[in-house]
Amino acid sequence: MNDEFKGKSGKVKVMYVRGDDNGDKRGQNPRTGRGSRPGADRQEGSRRPSRQSDSAARGGRDGKFRGNRDRDAQPRSDSPWRTVSRAPGEETKPDHGGISGKSYIDPEQLRRQRMEETRVYGENACQALFQSRPECIVRAWFVQSVTPRFRDALRWLAANRKAYHVVEEAELEKASGTEHHGGVCFLIKKRVGTPVSEWLATDREQDCVLALENIGNPHNIGGIMRSSAHFGVKGLLVDDAAVLESGAAVRTAEGGAEHVQALSAESFVKGLEAFRKAGYTIVTTSSHKGSTPLTQAKLPAKMVLALGQESDGLSESALKQGDMSVSIDGTGKVESLNVSVATGILLAEWWRQNH
């Protein structure tokens, strides 16, 4: 059997395996005859030292080692081969050792990180976000046509070593997850909801807070945030602060999302109770008899306007928290208004009466 193999250059390459004796020294070079050492033919037990059979140590024509099994059976501390033992079924974490910029990332840590991030898009929404809280931007994508209008943002991203990419429309659709991206998309860190107790720690003579129960449609949420910003409403009590940060909601708000803040409580009802104890009037809406028409209602300077989803409205437990119920008069040809439209009308009347 041939005991040598050739590399790409065609030159003969000889590979050596360290023996058990004097592992820091090499055996005789079979090509030059140099490097012999005393005791090279000495055996230890039934195993030969450094010069094993040529076919086993150096491999066949394919250049593969077939002597690894023997060497691994009796590992030595000075061996050039490292043997790692682990229990059956034990999982090992990949360690790239920093090669090619790679390093091990804990999947659980990566999952948590992604849960804390979201994508927002739309030119007005992203401009307002950059002006309000640029530090939350993780990464950005732009199409070439919008870059002149984001010149300040691009400078800031470069100066702060934030990754950004100028891409084609198709790639931006993939990055944002929608074709309605408006030419720009930001990957951002989500905001955390402010506890109701912290909000109430500041005494306000005039304050309107929206309480949104089970309203999850991002377009309705975006319309509500836009109306809130227009009429000076800053606090929105919600079940999950993330609903105010969805890409579709932020885009629909057209920059209004940067002027409102999510409020959180142990539960929706407990949040309403906390506001009442702080002197706020809880106002609910209803199209049923017994409600005060909006044109005749006196809306207090400090109130919480509670709104529910269009199909079912507020839950019974939330309705019981109401101190005042108002209705928006109309022709009666439709059962109710869209929740974002109704919010705009109610906030416009509150603004008219109190400003």
Side-chain angles (χ1 to χ4, degrees), residues 30-84:
R31 182 169 63 88
T32 63
R34 300 177 182 176
S36 61
R37 55 186 173 83
D41 295 331
R42 184 179 57 200
Q43 295 185 0
E44 182 178 342
S46 62
R47 183 180 176 185
R48 293 180 62 83
S50 62
R51 300 203 58 187
Q52 298 174 350
S53 65
D54 291 338
S55 60
R58 298 178 186 135
R61 295 182 182 273
D62 58 0
K64 294 182 179 178
F65 282 92
R66 288 190 289 271
N68 290 348
R69 185 183 306 172
D70 295 334
R71 287 194 303 276
D72 291 344
Q74 298 181 8
R76 302 186 333 276
S77 60
D78 61 347
S79 172
W81 309 102
R82 183 177 65 177
T83 303
V84 179

Side-chain angles (χ1 to χ4, degrees), residues 150-306:
F150 281 88
R151 188 176 292 107
D152 292 340
L154 289 168
R155 286 199 194 100
W156 187 91
L157 291 168
N160 290 272
R161 298 186 177 182
K162 302 281 188 177
Y164 68 87
H165 314 273
V166 179
V167 297
E168 300 294 332
E169 291 274 350
E171 189 171 348
L172 187 52
E173 285 185 20
K174 293 180 180 179
S176 62
T178 178
E179 60 182 3
H180 305 294
H181 47 67
V184 58
C185 175
F186 287 167
L187 176 67
I188 66 168
K189 290 288 186 181
K190 293 179 182 178
R191 289 181 294 184
V192 180
T194 301
V196 169
S197 57
E198 184 178 328
W199 182 268
L200 294 174
T202 301
D203 187 21
R204 298 174 174 87
E205 293 183 4
Q206 181 174 286
D207 188 25
C208 179
V209 171
L210 293 184
L212 310 179
E213 185 181 37
N214 298 325
I215 300 178
N217 185 301
H219 300 287
N220 285 337
I221 292 290
I224 290 172
M225 290 193 292
R226 188 171 182 175
S227 296
S228 298
H230 183 74
F231 293 112
V233 173
K234 297 181 179 180
L236 274 67
L237 176 64
V238 291
D239 299 304
D240 182 7
V243 300
L244 304 187
E245 298 257 72
S246 75
V250 174
R251 180 181 182 275
T252 304
E254 294 287 352
E258 301 309 310
H259 302 282
V260 299
Q261 191 169 355
L263 306 180
S264 60
E266 184 178 343
S267 68
F268 187 78
V269 171
K270 287 188 178 297
L272 296 178
E273 291 176 349
F275 275 107
R276 177 185 290 104
K277 292 178 180 179
Y280 286 70
T281 300
I282 311 299
V283 179
T284 60
T285 61
S286 175
S287 58
H288 301 143
K289 292 182 178 180
S291 298
T292 304
L294 181 62
T295 54
Q296 302 174 18
K298 174 58 180 174
L299 299 178
K302 293 179 65 173
M303 77 171 192
V304 175
L305 179 59

Side-chain angles (χ1 to χ4, degrees), residues 93-130:
K93 297 182 179 180
D95 183 7
H96 301 289
I99 299 176
S100 300
K102 296 180 179 180
S103 58
Y104 173 71
I105 300 177
D106 184 1
E108 181 62 22
Q109 179 183 352
L110 183 61
R111 185 189 68 81
R112 288 196 304 268
Q113 179 177 323
R114 288 177 176 173
M115 290 287 290
E116 296 171 356
E117 296 174 345
T118 187
R119 284 171 167 79
V120 300
Y121 43 84
E123 186 170 337
N124 290 339
C126 290
Q127 286 282 20
L129 189 147
F130 170 69

